[in-house]
Amino acid sequence: MRKLLSLFIVPLVAAATLATVGSPATAHPTKPFPARIALPDGFTPEGLTIGRGTTVYVGSILDGAIWRGDLRTGRGSVLVPGAPGTDKAGLKLDQQGRLWTADYSGGGASVYDAGTGAKLAHYQFNDQPGVSYINDLVITKRAVYFTDSALQVLYVVPLGPGGRLPAPNAFRVLQLSGPAATPDVYHNGIVELPDGDLLVAQMLSGTLVRIDPRTGRSRLVDLGGYSVERADGLVLRGRTLYVIRNLSNVIAVVRMNAGFTAGVVQREVTGPQLRSPATGDLLGSALYVVNGRFDVESTPTTDYDIIRVPA
């Protein structure tokens, strides 16, 4: 994403075995998933989420467009057309087939039908352009939580029975305390922990904080001195946390302890395929990451892509 406005499924080598009478079984490996998927030139992506099967969605921080593609074929097209002033950062798909977006400089969030692209709801958290930046989100069973990179709050949209969408004004602002209330840390990626607490990346301070979603109280996560500076997206599977660090061009793979109070960096993924990676999602044995290219000026001919790395 244009931070502060300046600021391999390793092919599931699933072999199908065909046996015929009088002949040995023959293995037919599936076609490898592409290691790179091109997005439209000039798209300026930020959020990425994977849906049912091999469907992937990517949002634009430039004009709010949403692109839908297939990780198996690499082909796709724009699902939601872009429009001035609708820039989107974080993007997540819920179990009801709805796309939730963090409307970055717009001070709110929107919900779309993932099949048709129709807009289903909008929640306006504030009206402070240039002061508030709604950056990322996590969907839980009871609510959707949004980070604000400039303000020390979380926005909470409660979900009704069966995930029913609430009224436009039925959200609350959760004031943060402790290290999460420190100014200028730039809250970004967010995931839910098994006990219901929330884990949030503080991009500029290079730290992770645990937040109690009921009270807003927080504490730092001990990473043994490791800095996650430029932490953008967070992806959690079991006790393995992937920290996508945009301008650092690094994906840190962290093994968390049983209580999720501390973690040890097991390895760093680097390489020329990482070009200011922003956010990602898991499918099988691969992590798919979108390159935001925040170190270059976006033009109509700037190329963008999704890449696949081993999880």
Side-chain angles (χ1 to χ4, degrees), residues 2 5 26 36 39 44 53 82 98 100 107-108 112 117 128 132 151 158 173 201 214 217 242 267 274 300 302:
R2 198 63 49 189
L5 303 182
T26 304
R36 176 186 180 272
L39 294 170
T44 319
R98 302 176 305 217
W100 292 73
Y112 299 86
Q128 302 182 69
S132 168
L151 302 177
V173 180
R214 299 164 299 175
R217 289 194 294 265
Y242 300 87
R267 60 190 173 96
L274 297 179
T302 303

Side-chain angles (χ1 to χ4, degrees), residues 156-270:
V156 187
V157 179
L159 297 173
R164 188 179 65 237
L165 296 174
N169 61 349
F171 64 86
R172 66 187 178 97
V173 180
L174 179 64
Q175 296 291 331
L176 304 179
S177 61
T182 305
D184 303 322
V185 293
Y186 204 84
H187 290 140
N188 207 326
I190 180 172
V191 293
E192 183 186 24
L193 299 176
D195 66 357
D197 275 4
L198 305 172
L199 186 66
V200 173
Q202 297 182 306
M203 192 179 81
L204 297 185
S205 61
T207 48
L208 300 175
V209 289
R210 280 185 62 134
I211 298 173
D212 185 325
R214 299 164 299 175
T215 66
R217 289 194 294 265
S218 66
R219 53 178 167 161
L220 288 173
V221 173
D222 182 7
L223 296 180
Y226 182 84
S227 172
V228 290
E229 185 181 6
R230 292 292 167 178
D232 197 327
L234 298 180
V235 182
L236 181 65
R237 174 187 279 174
R239 286 166 51 189
T240 300
L241 177 71
Y242 300 87
V243 184
I244 303 168
R245 301 173 53 200
N246 53 39
L247 290 177
S248 300
N249 290 315
V250 169
I251 301 171
V253 183
V254 183
R255 181 64 175 175
M256 303 297 296
N257 67 357
F260 290 86
T261 59
V264 176
V265 178
Q266 295 185 314
R267 60 190 173 96
E268 289 185 332
V269 179
T270 61

Side-chain angles (χ1 to χ4, degrees), residues 51-63:
R52 295 175 182 173
T54 56
T55 304
V56 62
Y57 302 86
V58 179
S60 171
I61 193 69
L62 177 67
D63 63 4

